[in-house]
Amino acid sequence: MICLILSEENFEYDVRGLLTAFYPGEEICASVRNGQEGKLEPGSAGRILSVDYMDGKIRVSLEHGEKKAAEAAVDYEDRKETKSVLKRLVYGLLSADAGRELPWGTLTGIRPTKIPMALLEEGADETEIVSYMKENYLASEEKIRLSIEIAKREKQVLKDVDYEDGYSLYIGIPFCPTTCLYCSFTSYPVAKWEPRMDEYLDALFREIDYTKEAFSHKKLNTVYIGGGTPTTLSPRHLERLLSKVEESFSLDNLQEWTVEAGRPDSVTRDKLRTLRRHPVSRISINPQTMRQETLKIIGRHHTPEQIEEAFAMAREEGFDNINMDLIMGLPEEGPEDVQYTMERLYAMAPDNITVHSLAVKRAARLNIMKEQYAHLKFENTGEMMGLAAEYCERLGLEPYYLYRQKNMAGNFENVGYASPGKAGIYNILIMEEKQTIMALGAGSTTKAVFPGGRIERCDNVKDIDQYLGRIDEMIDRKRKLLS
Ligand code: SF4
């Protein structure tokens, strides 16, 4: 256990983020002294990290066997800079104690590309951005260069999208064949909900009708049908949904329509043909790994061969922009398993590959039942991330979007790679928060971007019964958000 003691309740979240990054899985107990000097009992903590906000300076100390301390002057009026100084002080002590650096330095947010993007927009060149990010965030040169490369590519893609005058649409289909071990998304067993699927679609259609009316003056730039697994819908339900979208909106400005066909065991020729009858331009068939043993451990009841069959069928049906999601750091996998997976992906040659680092969230079965899985080895390394990147490069795919999550294995990132001209536009729009994304369906979150860059969100309830019963309220929440 690590004990975090702060003299005041300030920046606890940020310090915790660094502790979790250096010591993943360790319990952290935090307390605020608020002037009660000497009353705190760190008990059996292996490490004690203290943060003292003093007159004009911050002092940080770490007790772990011996005690080490560092301090720096700050101007508390400048909150952003104070946070930055504090994080560098904490980082210095923790990296000396842990004997390692973090690839992203003190950056714990989910959108590191926003920093180079803003600097590029201000006219900074690459050398200036590298030294700024090294100095301020102690990030590695490799990660800084990756974030700059991606920011440049994002700019390139966005220059052809009239995003300021447009919006995007997300439709959530929260059903899957089984639940993956690491899943923290809204996902329910399709077998249970199949008899009520028309009811779910009826509720979605109410939200579609509202969106059509609310955005009649805006251009629809991208549509993303995700989940869950949208291809768990039967061909008839899929047809109902796609027809409704096509009839409801003008698609004159539509630049991309993605449907996740995530689980290969949900893909059939009939469904692919249904997608092709509508202007769906991009699909996603997600292996996560090509190792049969790992697929079993993570609760996916399909074989690697089914992935190849679904992919081949999608090509035969004419899909020329197929994404495949992978996860690095899955249980019992090491570099040789990543290499094996990448070889099989290389043979398929998808147009997009999205490489994720396993992030175990609170709601995941893997976390809730952690004792049951304690015997499994989880590891993600620079070598594994590097192997995935190398194969993407060999396939001619370029990194085009990047984001990070809390509790990521190895403290790395998720990177989307795409062949030129096939980058997922929706992914960039959502990452860079450039426009409103209307999100429909149980468990989805709408993000409204207002002039001047102010961002506000509203959620739909996750529970399907609640969603169906409270659909008027979900629409009302959106109405309020947009007004
Ligand atoms: S396919 Fe995705 S949404 Fe479905 S259970 Fe697995 S992780 Fe969750």
Side-chain angles (χ1 to χ4, degrees):
M1 187 171 71
I2 303 170
C3 185
L4 168 62
I5 304 172
L6 298 117
S7 65
E8 284 166 37
E9 200 169 349
N10 251 330
F11 305 116
E12 180 192 326
Y13 177 85
D14 304 276
V15 178
R16 262 182 187 274
L18 283 172
L19 282 169
T20 313
F22 274 107
Y23 311 104
E26 280 242 23
E27 198 187 326
I28 300 168
C29 80
S31 37
V32 180
R33 264 203 302 265
N34 278 334
Q36 305 173 51
E37 196 72 47
K39 287 200 180 152
L40 292 169
E41 272 303 322
S44 58
R47 292 180 179 82
I48 304 164
L49 181 72
S50 309
V51 177
D52 287 286
Y53 300 103
M54 303 155 91
D55 228 9
K57 67 178 177 185
I58 297 177
R59 183 164 208 280
V60 180
S61 63
L62 179 69
E63 285 181 61
H64 181 215
E66 55 180 337
K67 185 170 179 175
K68 292 201 172 139
E71 60 181 44
V74 281
D75 169 7
Y76 289 112
E77 298 283 302
D78 187 344
R79 212 174 143 76
K80 194 173 160 212
E81 184 52 23
T82 302
K83 180 164 88 176
S84 193
V85 170
L86 168 65
K87 286 177 88 173
R88 286 197 296 272
L89 287 174
V90 172
Y91 182 94
L93 289 178
L94 299 187
S95 89
D97 178 65
R100 66 192 178 95
E101 304 284 333
L102 299 176
W104 289 95
T106 63
L107 282 169
T108 44
I110 63 170
R111 293 182 173 81
T113 49
K114 275 198 149 189
I115 298 163
M117 181 67 117
L119 293 169
L120 285 170
E121 277 166 2
E122 282 167 21
D125 67 21
E126 192 157 335
T127 320
E128 288 166 332
I129 300 175
V130 170
S131 50
Y132 176 84
M133 288 182 74
K134 264 190 187 170
E135 217 170 280
N136 286 279
Y137 305 111
L138 312 174
S140 70
E141 176 141 356
E142 184 202 345
K143 295 300 175 197
I144 297 172
R145 296 229 179 252
L146 175 66
S147 67
I148 297 172
E149 182 186 352
I150 288 174
K152 284 183 175 169
R153 200 157 281 123
E154 285 180 336
K155 261 174 83 94
Q156 188 67 22
V157 172
L158 290 179
K159 85 176 178 3
D160 298 324
V161 182
D162 185 8
Y163 57 82
E164 277 171 5
D165 206 22
Y167 72 106
S168 286
L169 183 66
Y170 174 86
I171 298 176
I173 306 295
F175 308 105
C176 288
T178 56
T179 306
C180 303
L181 190 59
Y182 48 80
C183 181
S184 60
F185 301 107
T186 307
S187 164
Y188 301 94
V190 67
K192 181 181 165 206
W193 286 97
E194 165 68 23
R196 294 181 67 190
M197 206 55 87
D198 278 305
E199 246 183 278
Y200 185 75
L201 292 185
D202 290 343
L204 268 182
F205 289 7
R206 296 274 317 279
E207 290 207 273
I208 290 177
D209 290 340
Y210 166 70
T211 307
K212 169 188 170 183
E213 164 206 314
F215 283 83
S216 55
H217 58 297
K218 290 269 188 188
K219 297 171 183 166
L220 181 59
N221 295 136
T222 70
V223 175
Y224 194 104
I225 304 187
T229 307
T231 41
T232 51
L233 293 180
S234 67
R236 179 180 74 79
H237 288 131
L238 210 46
E239 177 61 42
R240 252 196 95 193
L241 174 61
L242 301 180
S243 298
K244 175 71 180 176
V245 173
E246 215 178 330
E247 285 158 14
S248 303
F249 303 99
S250 158
L251 304 185
D252 293 349
N253 298 289
L254 191 72
Q255 286 179 275
E256 179 183 276
W257 184 344
T258 299
V259 175
E260 282 188 15
R263 300 275 285 261
D265 41 348
S266 69
V267 177
T268 64
R269 197 173 289 279
D270 225 9
K271 293 182 196 178
L272 290 170
R273 286 186 177 163
T274 306
L275 299 180
R276 287 290 287 163
R277 278 198 296 277
H278 299 272
V280 171
S281 55
R282 182 173 180 270
I283 61 169
S284 199
I285 298 173
N286 302 328
Q288 314 304 2
T289 173
M290 291 299 277
R291 276 276 185 221
Q292 179 66 74
E293 307 78 65
T294 319
L295 287 172
K296 252 194 233 155
I297 298 175
I298 63 177
R300 290 169 76 107
H301 298 174
H302 60 78
T303 62
E305 289 70 33
Q306 275 175 285
I307 296 164
E308 287 161 340
E309 283 155 21
F311 185 89
M313 204 164 27
R315 282 286 197 236
E316 280 161 24
E317 294 304 324
F319 286 97
D320 62 0
N321 193 353
I322 306 178
N323 172 65
M324 296 192 119
D325 277 2
L326 291 179
I327 302 178
M328 301 289 114
L330 285 173
E332 302 291 306
E333 289 212 343
E336 61 291 351
D337 304 292
V338 173
Q339 175 139 20
Y340 175 83
T341 290
M342 292 314 294
E343 279 291 333
R344 285 182 80 163
L345 250 65
Y346 185 80
M348 287 184 267
D351 313 278
N352 284 211
I353 296 179
T354 312
V355 181
H356 297 87
S357 306
L358 181 69
V360 182
K361 300 212 182 134
R362 235 188 335 210
R365 198 152 43 100
L366 189 51
N367 181 50
I368 295 167
M369 298 155 79
K370 50 181 166 229
E371 282 77 33
Q372 190 180 324
Y373 301 106
H375 63 287
L376 296 171
K377 179 192 89 183
F378 292 86
E379 178 191 47
N380 189 13
T381 61
E383 186 187 354
M384 288 153 83
M385 295 295 287
L387 267 169
E390 194 186 306
Y391 274 88
C392 288
E393 197 183 332
R394 278 172 54 191
L395 281 165
L397 311 183
E398 300 162 332
Y400 77 93
Y401 98 114
L402 181 155
Y403 69 101
R404 303 182 67 221
Q405 287 164 285
K406 271 204 259 167
N407 304 332
M408 290 185 104
N411 216 259
F412 291 103
E413 62 278 327
N414 300 328
V415 182
Y417 297 85
S419 52
K422 293 191 176 169
I425 302 168
Y426 173 88
N427 291 336
I428 298 177
L429 289 168
I430 198 163
M431 259 327 115
E432 292 303 323
E433 303 183 309
K434 292 287 188 195
Q435 64 171 201
T436 294
I437 300 198
M438 283 293 277
L440 323 181
S444 63
T445 299
T446 292
K447 192 154 59 168
V449 180
F450 295 97
R454 180 171 59 91
I455 295 170
E456 285 186 28
R457 294 172 170 77
C458 84
D459 294 331
N460 275 354
V461 287
K462 289 187 175 177
D463 181 86
I464 308 230
D465 266 323
Q466 294 272 336
Y467 173 72
L468 299 177
R470 292 164 60 190
I471 189 67
D472 289 328
E473 185 193 330
M474 299 304 107
I475 294 170
D476 248 18
R477 286 184 185 182
K478 288 188 171 61
R479 193 171 279 125
K480 278 195 192 109
L481 176 81
L482 297 172
S483 64

